[in-house]
Amino acid sequence: MSPVPTAPARRRRFGWPQRVFSQVLLMQLAIATGVTVLATGLFLAPLSAQLDDQAMRRALAIAETTASPEIADELLGSQPTAGGPVQAKAERIRKATGAEYVVIMDMRGVRWSHTAPQQIGRVVSTDPSDALAGHEVMEIDSGTLGRSARGKVPLRDDSGTIVGAVSVGIEYDSVRARLLAAIPGLLAYAGGALAVGALAAYLISRRLQRQTHDLAFSDISALLAEREAMLHGIREGVLALDDSGRIRLMNDEAQRLLGLGPEAEGRPLEEVLGEGRTTDVLAGRVTGEDLLTVRGSRVLITNRMPTDDGGAVATLRDRTELEQLGRELDSTRGLIDALRAQDHEHANRMHTLLGLLELEMHEEAVEYVTEVVGVHRATAEQVTEKIQDPLLAALLVGKATVAAERGVSLRIAPGTLLPDRLVDPRGLVTVVGNLVDNALDAATGSPDPLIEVELHAEGRTAVLRIADSGPGVPHDQRELIFTEGWSTKELPVHGKRGLGLALVRRLAERQGGSARVREAQGGGAEFTVVLPEALTEPGLATAVEAR
């Protein structure tokens, strides 16, 4: 049997780490090390020059102290010998100051003193012309004793005449020793600073590791790409807020639902949306699940989830069409009930008519039919005469039929007159339909149930007034009823209420108008809606019809 092949062992590859934590740590350590080395080098470079300058100034100070008139008199009054007074004083000064040498010379450059006595009487090894010319000299130079930091000054007698020069040297090895002695301490400080920097870099990198969940840069890039694709691909609005309530990001659907643009990102929520329930829900001041809110003409379902950094992410779903379907379902159910009742009434009428015919009471039968048909025809003619817009007139005729079947009288007020010049008939149909439905629910079951509708034009402004004979609205609830989600009725089939009056007010305010409620005469509630610029100019309407 052949041996089973085994997978080759993986070679351990050493290279640049992939984790954000490791990369940041290495970069910070490299930066800290580079800065430490650079700072140390920048400190050592001028330190050497400073030590040289200090040594030269020290040598010059010793030379200036040595070049006294007494030394000049002894120079003029003696010979350059190892036992002479000039040599004795020079050696005493050298030992007292710690200088490498103290050389006193005459105008010819001949030494009168030296650390090595055999050099006395000989010419100096370096050029003394500058000092003999009356100038002070500081330099680093090499002589018979090696390299040294030197200071040279002219030697003057009591009259100020230059009779020689004094040269003092500081051993250069001592200067270098001071520099070398300073390096360990400097490196210790640099090492300490590097250790502190490395610890800080490690702590920062560990925090970054926790915040990035120890991901690699490629993982983060992939997550960002996936997030962008997901945010802009889903059909729900997504809105992210920071801990200060500023908009951090919005996807395309959220911008569409809220009516905002990309410029809203980075701005406070209250600034871009204004005050209202939508802002309160998104900011977390109203809590709960599947919260209803109205933005413009849209009905939205909002859910909000806080994040660990103090912000939040909110999702928005467009429920406008579903809400309309729900309301249509409610209307359809009511219409079915009305048709069922009307069918029952129609059967009774047909039985009555059949009985009159069987009894051969033909004239009474004709009168009965004329009376029944005339009532409905009169109602339709009354509505279309005062409400000239066909959509609105049809709505009120239908509502009158439903109201009659529920035992409620729907009456058009005498002051009603609305020409066929509406800018947005569907918007007004929504307003009237909501208010009539609410009035019908309130008036049903009350003594002498009645709904009165008044519509009239004031220039380009449409004014709507609907009163009912119901229980009315308490004074402390007259603003709450226009709030999304507030209702005193039982939940319908689609599970939500409290949007009709909110939509009415939003439609009115969107056109610069208002919606309010007060107590009607004789009890009940009276709603008044004012819609500025709801009608076109009379001349414009005529011109459009002529075309």
Side-chain angles (χ1 to χ4, degrees), residues 193-230:
L194 180 59
V196 172
L199 178 61
Y202 176 76
L203 295 176
I204 293 174
S205 300
R206 286 289 297 175
R207 181 180 180 185
L208 184 62
Q209 182 184 26
R210 290 192 299 269
Q211 291 180 340
T212 59
H213 303 283
D214 200 23
L215 295 174
F217 278 111
S218 58
D219 297 333
I220 295 176
S221 177
L223 286 175
L224 288 175
E226 293 169 0
R227 188 199 70 165
E228 289 299 316
M230 180 184 66

PDB file of all heavy atoms in Angstrom, residues 193-230:
ATOM      1  N   ALA A 193      11.848  57.975  27.981  1.00  0.00           N
ATOM      2  CA  ALA A 193      10.819  58.595  27.144  1.00  0.00           C
ATOM      3  C   ALA A 193      10.285  57.602  26.109  1.00  0.00           C
ATOM      4  O   ALA A 193       9.083  57.548  25.838  1.00  0.00           O
ATOM      5  CB  ALA A 193      11.386  59.831  26.445  1.00  0.00           C
ATOM      6  N   LEU A 194      11.214  56.785  25.547  1.00  0.00           N
ATOM      7  CA  LEU A 194      10.779  55.784  24.574  1.00  0.00           C
ATOM      8  C   LEU A 194       9.885  54.737  25.230  1.00  0.00           C
ATOM      9  O   LEU A 194       8.895  54.292  24.638  1.00  0.00           O
ATOM     10  CB  LEU A 194      12.006  55.122  23.950  1.00  0.00           C
ATOM     11  CG  LEU A 194      11.731  54.043  22.892  1.00  0.00           C
ATOM     12  CD1 LEU A 194      10.937  54.630  21.743  1.00  0.00           C
ATOM     13  CD2 LEU A 194      13.047  53.436  22.391  1.00  0.00           C
ATOM     14  N   ALA A 195      10.207  54.347  26.464  1.00  0.00           N
ATOM     15  CA  ALA A 195       9.380  53.361  27.163  1.00  0.00           C
ATOM     16  C   ALA A 195       7.983  53.914  27.441  1.00  0.00           C
ATOM     17  O   ALA A 195       6.977  53.218  27.258  1.00  0.00           O
ATOM     18  CB  ALA A 195      10.057  52.953  28.471  1.00  0.00           C
ATOM     19  N   VAL A 196       7.925  55.178  27.877  1.00  0.00           N
ATOM     20  CA  VAL A 196       6.615  55.789  28.119  1.00  0.00           C
ATOM     21  C   VAL A 196       5.824  55.873  26.809  1.00  0.00           C
ATOM     22  O   VAL A 196       4.618  55.598  26.767  1.00  0.00           O
ATOM     23  CB  VAL A 196       6.780  57.184  28.759  1.00  0.00           C
ATOM     24  CG1 VAL A 196       5.449  57.914  28.829  1.00  0.00           C
ATOM     25  CG2 VAL A 196       7.380  57.046  30.146  1.00  0.00           C
ATOM     26  N   GLY A 197       6.516  56.274  25.734  1.00  0.00           N
ATOM     27  CA  GLY A 197       5.835  56.346  24.439  1.00  0.00           C
ATOM     28  C   GLY A 197       5.344  54.986  23.971  1.00  0.00           C
ATOM     29  O   GLY A 197       4.243  54.863  23.425  1.00  0.00           O
ATOM     30  N   ALA A 198       6.168  53.948  24.188  1.00  0.00           N
ATOM     31  CA  ALA A 198       5.761  52.597  23.790  1.00  0.00           C
ATOM     32  C   ALA A 198       4.554  52.128  24.597  1.00  0.00           C
ATOM     33  O   ALA A 198       3.618  51.511  24.058  1.00  0.00           O
ATOM     34  CB  ALA A 198       6.927  51.625  23.969  1.00  0.00           C
ATOM     35  N   LEU A 199       4.541  52.436  25.915  1.00  0.00           N
ATOM     36  CA  LEU A 199       3.394  52.059  26.737  1.00  0.00           C
ATOM     37  C   LEU A 199       2.133  52.785  26.286  1.00  0.00           C
ATOM     38  O   LEU A 199       1.052  52.173  26.178  1.00  0.00           O
ATOM     39  CB  LEU A 199       3.694  52.372  28.203  1.00  0.00           C
ATOM     40  CG  LEU A 199       2.559  52.065  29.198  1.00  0.00           C
ATOM     41  CD1 LEU A 199       2.220  50.584  29.160  1.00  0.00           C
ATOM     42  CD2 LEU A 199       2.957  52.506  30.614  1.00  0.00           C
ATOM     43  N   ALA A 200       2.275  54.098  26.011  1.00  0.00           N
ATOM     44  CA  ALA A 200       1.113  54.855  25.527  1.00  0.00           C
ATOM     45  C   ALA A 200       0.620  54.305  24.191  1.00  0.00           C
ATOM     46  O   ALA A 200      -0.591  54.186  23.958  1.00  0.00           O
ATOM     47  CB  ALA A 200       1.465  56.336  25.404  1.00  0.00           C
ATOM     48  N   ALA A 201       1.574  53.957  23.308  1.00  0.00           N
ATOM     49  CA  ALA A 201       1.186  53.392  22.012  1.00  0.00           C
ATOM     50  C   ALA A 201       0.459  52.065  22.188  1.00  0.00           C
ATOM     51  O   ALA A 201      -0.534  51.784  21.504  1.00  0.00           O
ATOM     52  CB  ALA A 201       2.425  53.201  21.137  1.00  0.00           C
ATOM     53  N   TYR A 202       0.924  51.261  23.136  1.00  0.00           N
ATOM     54  CA  TYR A 202       0.266  49.969  23.368  1.00  0.00           C
ATOM     55  C   TYR A 202      -1.147  50.169  23.899  1.00  0.00           C
ATOM     56  O   TYR A 202      -2.094  49.497  23.451  1.00  0.00           O
ATOM     57  CB  TYR A 202       1.087  49.153  24.359  1.00  0.00           C
ATOM     58  CG  TYR A 202       0.438  47.838  24.730  1.00  0.00           C
ATOM     59  CD1 TYR A 202       0.445  46.760  23.851  1.00  0.00           C
ATOM     60  CD2 TYR A 202      -0.190  47.692  25.959  1.00  0.00           C
ATOM     61  CE1 TYR A 202      -0.166  45.561  24.186  1.00  0.00           C
ATOM     62  CE2 TYR A 202      -0.805  46.495  26.310  1.00  0.00           C
ATOM     63  CZ  TYR A 202      -0.783  45.435  25.425  1.00  0.00           C
ATOM     64  OH  TYR A 202      -1.396  44.263  25.761  1.00  0.00           O
ATOM     65  N   LEU A 203      -1.312  51.091  24.868  1.00  0.00           N
ATOM     66  CA  LEU A 203      -2.638  51.326  25.442  1.00  0.00           C
ATOM     67  C   LEU A 203      -3.607  51.863  24.381  1.00  0.00           C
ATOM     68  O   LEU A 203      -4.768  51.447  24.305  1.00  0.00           O
ATOM     69  CB  LEU A 203      -2.541  52.289  26.621  1.00  0.00           C
ATOM     70  CG  LEU A 203      -1.754  51.766  27.834  1.00  0.00           C
ATOM     71  CD1 LEU A 203      -1.657  52.845  28.898  1.00  0.00           C
ATOM     72  CD2 LEU A 203      -2.408  50.510  28.397  1.00  0.00           C
ATOM     73  N   ILE A 204      -3.114  52.797  23.558  1.00  0.00           N
ATOM     74  CA  ILE A 204      -3.973  53.343  22.495  1.00  0.00           C
ATOM     75  C   ILE A 204      -4.328  52.255  21.498  1.00  0.00           C
ATOM     76  O   ILE A 204      -5.481  52.156  21.044  1.00  0.00           O
ATOM     77  CB  ILE A 204      -3.259  54.517  21.803  1.00  0.00           C
ATOM     78  CG1 ILE A 204      -3.098  55.698  22.774  1.00  0.00           C
ATOM     79  CG2 ILE A 204      -4.022  54.971  20.561  1.00  0.00           C
ATOM     80  CD1 ILE A 204      -2.281  56.840  22.221  1.00  0.00           C
ATOM     81  N   SER A 205      -3.369  51.424  21.167  1.00  0.00           N
ATOM     82  CA  SER A 205      -3.633  50.353  20.207  1.00  0.00           C
ATOM     83  C   SER A 205      -4.609  49.325  20.777  1.00  0.00           C
ATOM     84  O   SER A 205      -5.456  48.796  20.055  1.00  0.00           O
ATOM     85  CB  SER A 205      -2.318  49.678  19.811  1.00  0.00           C
ATOM     86  OG  SER A 205      -1.431  50.600  19.209  1.00  0.00           O
ATOM     87  N   ARG A 206      -4.496  49.042  22.087  1.00  0.00           N
ATOM     88  CA  ARG A 206      -5.451  48.111  22.700  1.00  0.00           C
ATOM     89  C   ARG A 206      -6.871  48.662  22.658  1.00  0.00           C
ATOM     90  O   ARG A 206      -7.830  47.937  22.389  1.00  0.00           O
ATOM     91  CB  ARG A 206      -5.045  47.844  24.147  1.00  0.00           C
ATOM     92  CG  ARG A 206      -3.840  46.946  24.279  1.00  0.00           C
ATOM     93  CD  ARG A 206      -4.151  45.523  23.897  1.00  0.00           C
ATOM     94  NE  ARG A 206      -5.143  44.916  24.763  1.00  0.00           N
ATOM     95  CZ  ARG A 206      -5.649  43.713  24.581  1.00  0.00           C
ATOM     96  NH1 ARG A 206      -5.272  42.998  23.522  1.00  0.00           N
ATOM     97  NH2 ARG A 206      -6.547  43.222  25.407  1.00  0.00           N
ATOM     98  N   ARG A 207      -7.009  49.969  22.919  1.00  0.00           N
ATOM     99  CA  ARG A 207      -8.340  50.580  22.840  1.00  0.00           C
ATOM    100  C   ARG A 207      -8.862  50.521  21.399  1.00  0.00           C
ATOM    101  O   ARG A 207     -10.038  50.236  21.161  1.00  0.00           O
ATOM    102  CB  ARG A 207      -8.282  52.019  23.318  1.00  0.00           C
ATOM    103  CG  ARG A 207      -9.639  52.706  23.294  1.00  0.00           C
ATOM    104  CD  ARG A 207      -9.550  54.118  23.777  1.00  0.00           C
ATOM    105  NE  ARG A 207     -10.866  54.756  23.745  1.00  0.00           N
ATOM    106  CZ  ARG A 207     -11.087  56.025  24.029  1.00  0.00           C
ATOM    107  NH1 ARG A 207     -10.089  56.809  24.382  1.00  0.00           N
ATOM    108  NH2 ARG A 207     -12.307  56.517  23.978  1.00  0.00           N
ATOM    109  N   LEU A 208      -7.967  50.796  20.450  1.00  0.00           N
ATOM    110  CA  LEU A 208      -8.367  50.707  19.045  1.00  0.00           C
ATOM    111  C   LEU A 208      -8.748  49.283  18.683  1.00  0.00           C
ATOM    112  O   LEU A 208      -9.674  49.058  17.898  1.00  0.00           O
ATOM    113  CB  LEU A 208      -7.225  51.205  18.161  1.00  0.00           C
ATOM    114  CG  LEU A 208      -7.505  51.281  16.655  1.00  0.00           C
ATOM    115  CD1 LEU A 208      -8.630  52.255  16.378  1.00  0.00           C
ATOM    116  CD2 LEU A 208      -6.247  51.707  15.905  1.00  0.00           C
ATOM    117  N   GLN A 209      -8.064  48.314  19.291  1.00  0.00           N
ATOM    118  CA  GLN A 209      -8.390  46.910  19.023  1.00  0.00           C
ATOM    119  C   GLN A 209      -9.800  46.589  19.503  1.00  0.00           C
ATOM    120  O   GLN A 209     -10.559  45.892  18.815  1.00  0.00           O
ATOM    121  CB  GLN A 209      -7.376  46.003  19.726  1.00  0.00           C
ATOM    122  CG  GLN A 209      -7.605  44.526  19.471  1.00  0.00           C
ATOM    123  CD  GLN A 209      -6.634  43.666  20.259  1.00  0.00           C
ATOM    124  OE1 GLN A 209      -6.139  44.082  21.311  1.00  0.00           O
ATOM    125  NE2 GLN A 209      -6.364  42.472  19.775  1.00  0.00           N
ATOM    126  N   ARG A 210     -10.158  47.105  20.681  1.00  0.00           N
ATOM    127  CA  ARG A 210     -11.516  46.849  21.186  1.00  0.00           C
ATOM    128  C   ARG A 210     -12.563  47.545  20.318  1.00  0.00           C
ATOM    129  O   ARG A 210     -13.634  46.988  20.054  1.00  0.00           O
ATOM    130  CB  ARG A 210     -11.630  47.328  22.629  1.00  0.00           C
ATOM    131  CG  ARG A 210     -10.839  46.493  23.621  1.00  0.00           C
ATOM    132  CD  ARG A 210     -11.230  46.828  25.038  1.00  0.00           C
ATOM    133  NE  ARG A 210     -10.958  48.216  25.359  1.00  0.00           N
ATOM    134  CZ  ARG A 210      -9.816  48.664  25.877  1.00  0.00           C
ATOM    135  NH1 ARG A 210      -8.836  47.811  26.132  1.00  0.00           N
ATOM    136  NH2 ARG A 210      -9.648  49.949  26.157  1.00  0.00           N
ATOM    137  N   GLN A 211     -12.264  48.768  19.896  1.00  0.00           N
ATOM    138  CA  GLN A 211     -13.244  49.513  19.112  1.00  0.00           C
ATOM    139  C   GLN A 211     -13.419  48.935  17.716  1.00  0.00           C
ATOM    140  O   GLN A 211     -14.506  49.028  17.142  1.00  0.00           O
ATOM    141  CB  GLN A 211     -12.825  50.989  19.022  1.00  0.00           C
ATOM    142  CG  GLN A 211     -12.916  51.724  20.345  1.00  0.00           C
ATOM    143  CD  GLN A 211     -12.491  53.172  20.232  1.00  0.00           C
ATOM    144  OE1 GLN A 211     -11.795  53.548  19.295  1.00  0.00           O
ATOM    145  NE2 GLN A 211     -12.890  53.981  21.195  1.00  0.00           N
ATOM    146  N   THR A 212     -12.363  48.376  17.141  1.00  0.00           N
ATOM    147  CA  THR A 212     -12.452  47.791  15.798  1.00  0.00           C
ATOM    148  C   THR A 212     -12.705  46.291  15.831  1.00  0.00           C
ATOM    149  O   THR A 212     -12.707  45.653  14.768  1.00  0.00           O
ATOM    150  CB  THR A 212     -11.156  48.065  15.014  1.00  0.00           C
ATOM    151  OG1 THR A 212     -10.033  47.496  15.725  1.00  0.00           O
ATOM    152  CG2 THR A 212     -10.935  49.562  14.838  1.00  0.00           C
ATOM    153  N   HIS A 213     -12.909  45.731  17.048  1.00  0.00           N
ATOM    154  CA  HIS A 213     -13.181  44.296  17.207  1.00  0.00           C
ATOM    155  C   HIS A 213     -12.081  43.448  16.571  1.00  0.00           C
ATOM    156  O   HIS A 213     -12.358  42.377  16.020  1.00  0.00           O
ATOM    157  CB  HIS A 213     -14.545  43.946  16.617  1.00  0.00           C
ATOM    158  CG  HIS A 213     -15.670  44.735  17.223  1.00  0.00           C
ATOM    159  ND1 HIS A 213     -16.206  44.465  18.468  1.00  0.00           N
ATOM    160  CD2 HIS A 213     -16.349  45.821  16.753  1.00  0.00           C
ATOM    161  CE1 HIS A 213     -17.177  45.326  18.735  1.00  0.00           C
ATOM    162  NE2 HIS A 213     -17.291  46.169  17.720  1.00  0.00           N
ATOM    163  N   ASP A 214     -10.853  43.941  16.652  1.00  0.00           N
ATOM    164  CA  ASP A 214      -9.671  43.204  16.174  1.00  0.00           C
ATOM    165  C   ASP A 214      -9.806  42.790  14.711  1.00  0.00           C
ATOM    166  O   ASP A 214      -9.428  41.681  14.318  1.00  0.00           O
ATOM    167  CB  ASP A 214      -9.422  41.966  17.049  1.00  0.00           C
ATOM    168  CG  ASP A 214      -7.980  41.472  16.907  1.00  0.00           C
ATOM    169  OD1 ASP A 214      -7.118  42.281  16.523  1.00  0.00           O
ATOM    170  OD2 ASP A 214      -7.726  40.283  17.196  1.00  0.00           O
ATOM    171  N   LEU A 215     -10.348  43.707  13.911  1.00  0.00           N
ATOM    172  CA  LEU A 215     -10.503  43.420  12.488  1.00  0.00           C
ATOM    173  C   LEU A 215      -9.279  43.889  11.710  1.00  0.00           C
ATOM    174  O   LEU A 215      -8.538  44.768  12.155  1.00  0.00           O
ATOM    175  CB  LEU A 215     -11.750  44.117  11.936  1.00  0.00           C
ATOM    176  CG  LEU A 215     -13.097  43.640  12.480  1.00  0.00           C
ATOM    177  CD1 LEU A 215     -14.203  44.522  11.949  1.00  0.00           C
ATOM    178  CD2 LEU A 215     -13.352  42.182  12.084  1.00  0.00           C
ATOM    179  N   ALA A 216      -9.100  43.305  10.544  1.00  0.00           N
ATOM    180  CA  ALA A 216      -8.054  43.756   9.630  1.00  0.00           C
ATOM    181  C   ALA A 216      -8.601  44.897   8.782  1.00  0.00           C
ATOM    182  O   ALA A 216      -9.815  45.104   8.672  1.00  0.00           O
ATOM    183  CB  ALA A 216      -7.600  42.602   8.735  1.00  0.00           C
ATOM    184  N   PHE A 217      -7.678  45.651   8.189  1.00  0.00           N
ATOM    185  CA  PHE A 217      -8.102  46.768   7.345  1.00  0.00           C
ATOM    186  C   PHE A 217      -8.932  46.270   6.166  1.00  0.00           C
ATOM    187  O   PHE A 217      -9.898  46.927   5.759  1.00  0.00           O
ATOM    188  CB  PHE A 217      -6.878  47.533   6.827  1.00  0.00           C
ATOM    189  CG  PHE A 217      -6.336  48.528   7.820  1.00  0.00           C
ATOM    190  CD1 PHE A 217      -5.112  48.322   8.422  1.00  0.00           C
ATOM    191  CD2 PHE A 217      -7.056  49.662   8.154  1.00  0.00           C
ATOM    192  CE1 PHE A 217      -4.608  49.226   9.340  1.00  0.00           C
ATOM    193  CE2 PHE A 217      -6.570  50.573   9.064  1.00  0.00           C
ATOM    194  CZ  PHE A 217      -5.339  50.359   9.659  1.00  0.00           C
ATOM    195  N   SER A 218      -8.592  45.117   5.634  1.00  0.00           N
ATOM    196  CA  SER A 218      -9.368  44.578   4.520  1.00  0.00           C
ATOM    197  C   SER A 218     -10.786  44.231   4.964  1.00  0.00           C
ATOM    198  O   SER A 218     -11.751  44.429   4.215  1.00  0.00           O
ATOM    199  CB  SER A 218      -8.671  43.338   3.957  1.00  0.00           C
ATOM    200  OG  SER A 218      -8.508  42.351   4.973  1.00  0.00           O
ATOM    201  N   ASP A 219     -10.908  43.725   6.211  1.00  0.00           N
ATOM    202  CA  ASP A 219     -12.246  43.415   6.732  1.00  0.00           C
ATOM    203  C   ASP A 219     -13.068  44.684   6.900  1.00  0.00           C
ATOM    204  O   ASP A 219     -14.261  44.714   6.576  1.00  0.00           O
ATOM    205  CB  ASP A 219     -12.134  42.683   8.061  1.00  0.00           C
ATOM    206  CG  ASP A 219     -11.432  41.343   7.926  1.00  0.00           C
ATOM    207  OD1 ASP A 219     -11.508  40.772   6.833  1.00  0.00           O
ATOM    208  OD2 ASP A 219     -10.815  40.900   8.913  1.00  0.00           O
ATOM    209  N   ILE A 220     -12.436  45.738   7.425  1.00  0.00           N
ATOM    210  CA  ILE A 220     -13.145  46.998   7.619  1.00  0.00           C
ATOM    211  C   ILE A 220     -13.580  47.570   6.277  1.00  0.00           C
ATOM    212  O   ILE A 220     -14.704  48.065   6.122  1.00  0.00           O
ATOM    213  CB  ILE A 220     -12.250  47.992   8.382  1.00  0.00           C
ATOM    214  CG1 ILE A 220     -11.988  47.474   9.795  1.00  0.00           C
ATOM    215  CG2 ILE A 220     -12.885  49.378   8.434  1.00  0.00           C
ATOM    216  CD1 ILE A 220     -11.046  48.338  10.597  1.00  0.00           C
ATOM    217  N   SER A 221     -12.695  47.512   5.284  1.00  0.00           N
ATOM    218  CA  SER A 221     -13.050  48.010   3.959  1.00  0.00           C
ATOM    219  C   SER A 221     -14.207  47.222   3.372  1.00  0.00           C
ATOM    220  O   SER A 221     -15.141  47.797   2.786  1.00  0.00           O
ATOM    221  CB  SER A 221     -11.817  47.918   3.040  1.00  0.00           C
ATOM    222  OG  SER A 221     -12.135  48.336   1.737  1.00  0.00           O
ATOM    223  N   ALA A 222     -14.184  45.895   3.546  1.00  0.00           N
ATOM    224  CA  ALA A 222     -15.279  45.072   3.028  1.00  0.00           C
ATOM    225  C   ALA A 222     -16.587  45.382   3.752  1.00  0.00           C
ATOM    226  O   ALA A 222     -17.650  45.460   3.131  1.00  0.00           O
ATOM    227  CB  ALA A 222     -14.928  43.590   3.172  1.00  0.00           C
ATOM    228  N   LEU A 223     -16.507  45.593   5.081  1.00  0.00           N
ATOM    229  CA  LEU A 223     -17.715  45.922   5.837  1.00  0.00           C
ATOM    230  C   LEU A 223     -18.300  47.263   5.398  1.00  0.00           C
ATOM    231  O   LEU A 223     -19.529  47.416   5.304  1.00  0.00           O
ATOM    232  CB  LEU A 223     -17.392  45.961   7.336  1.00  0.00           C
ATOM    233  CG  LEU A 223     -17.180  44.606   8.017  1.00  0.00           C
ATOM    234  CD1 LEU A 223     -16.747  44.805   9.456  1.00  0.00           C
ATOM    235  CD2 LEU A 223     -18.457  43.783   7.966  1.00  0.00           C
ATOM    236  N   LEU A 224     -17.444  48.234   5.139  1.00  0.00           N
ATOM    237  CA  LEU A 224     -17.937  49.534   4.682  1.00  0.00           C
ATOM    238  C   LEU A 224     -18.622  49.410   3.322  1.00  0.00           C
ATOM    239  O   LEU A 224     -19.678  50.009   3.085  1.00  0.00           O
ATOM    240  CB  LEU A 224     -16.783  50.530   4.607  1.00  0.00           C
ATOM    241  CG  LEU A 224     -16.231  51.021   5.954  1.00  0.00           C
ATOM    242  CD1 LEU A 224     -15.023  51.911   5.737  1.00  0.00           C
ATOM    243  CD2 LEU A 224     -17.309  51.792   6.723  1.00  0.00           C
ATOM    244  N   ALA A 225     -18.004  48.637   2.424  1.00  0.00           N
ATOM    245  CA  ALA A 225     -18.622  48.449   1.107  1.00  0.00           C
ATOM    246  C   ALA A 225     -19.967  47.737   1.231  1.00  0.00           C
ATOM    247  O   ALA A 225     -20.948  48.102   0.580  1.00  0.00           O
ATOM    248  CB  ALA A 225     -17.670  47.660   0.201  1.00  0.00           C
ATOM    249  N   GLU A 226     -20.018  46.709   2.089  1.00  0.00           N
ATOM    250  CA  GLU A 226     -21.279  45.992   2.278  1.00  0.00           C
ATOM    251  C   GLU A 226     -22.334  46.890   2.924  1.00  0.00           C
ATOM    252  O   GLU A 226     -23.520  46.818   2.590  1.00  0.00           O
ATOM    253  CB  GLU A 226     -21.037  44.756   3.147  1.00  0.00           C
ATOM    254  CG  GLU A 226     -20.181  43.698   2.467  1.00  0.00           C
ATOM    255  CD  GLU A 226     -19.740  42.610   3.425  1.00  0.00           C
ATOM    256  OE1 GLU A 226     -20.120  42.700   4.622  1.00  0.00           O
ATOM    257  OE2 GLU A 226     -19.020  41.694   3.011  1.00  0.00           O
ATOM    258  N   ARG A 227     -21.894  47.732   3.876  1.00  0.00           N
ATOM    259  CA  ARG A 227     -22.853  48.629   4.527  1.00  0.00           C
ATOM    260  C   ARG A 227     -23.456  49.610   3.526  1.00  0.00           C
ATOM    261  O   ARG A 227     -24.665  49.851   3.524  1.00  0.00           O
ATOM    262  CB  ARG A 227     -22.167  49.397   5.647  1.00  0.00           C
ATOM    263  CG  ARG A 227     -23.111  50.212   6.505  1.00  0.00           C
ATOM    264  CD  ARG A 227     -22.406  51.283   7.267  1.00  0.00           C
ATOM    265  NE  ARG A 227     -21.932  52.356   6.398  1.00  0.00           N
ATOM    266  CZ  ARG A 227     -21.538  53.541   6.835  1.00  0.00           C
ATOM    267  NH1 ARG A 227     -21.536  53.817   8.109  1.00  0.00           N
ATOM    268  NH2 ARG A 227     -21.112  54.461   5.988  1.00  0.00           N
ATOM    269  N   GLU A 228     -22.601  50.175   2.672  1.00  0.00           N
ATOM    270  CA  GLU A 228     -23.112  51.113   1.674  1.00  0.00           C
ATOM    271  C   GLU A 228     -24.088  50.425   0.723  1.00  0.00           C
ATOM    272  O   GLU A 228     -25.152  50.972   0.410  1.00  0.00           O
ATOM    273  CB  GLU A 228     -21.933  51.705   0.880  1.00  0.00           C
ATOM    274  CG  GLU A 228     -21.072  52.670   1.674  1.00  0.00           C
ATOM    275  CD  GLU A 228     -21.855  53.872   2.148  1.00  0.00           C
ATOM    276  OE1 GLU A 228     -22.628  54.438   1.357  1.00  0.00           O
ATOM    277  OE2 GLU A 228     -21.722  54.242   3.329  1.00  0.00           O
ATOM    278  N   ALA A 229     -23.747  49.208   0.292  1.00  0.00           N
ATOM    279  CA  ALA A 229     -24.640  48.486  -0.604  1.00  0.00           C
ATOM    280  C   ALA A 229     -25.962  48.161   0.082  1.00  0.00           C
ATOM    281  O   ALA A 229     -27.041  48.271  -0.516  1.00  0.00           O
ATOM    282  CB  ALA A 229     -23.962  47.205  -1.097  1.00  0.00           C
ATOM    283  N   MET A 230     -25.892  47.774   1.352  1.00  0.00           N
ATOM    284  CA  MET A 230     -27.105  47.411   2.076  1.00  0.00           C
ATOM    285  C   MET A 230     -27.977  48.638   2.335  1.00  0.00           C
ATOM    286  O   MET A 230     -29.198  48.605   2.118  1.00  0.00           O
ATOM    287  CB  MET A 230     -26.735  46.753   3.407  1.00  0.00           C
ATOM    288  CG  MET A 230     -27.940  46.344   4.251  1.00  0.00           C
ATOM    289  SD  MET A 230     -27.439  45.690   5.854  1.00  0.00           S
ATOM    290  CE  MET A 230     -26.723  47.165   6.587  1.00  0.00           C
TER     291      MET A 230
END
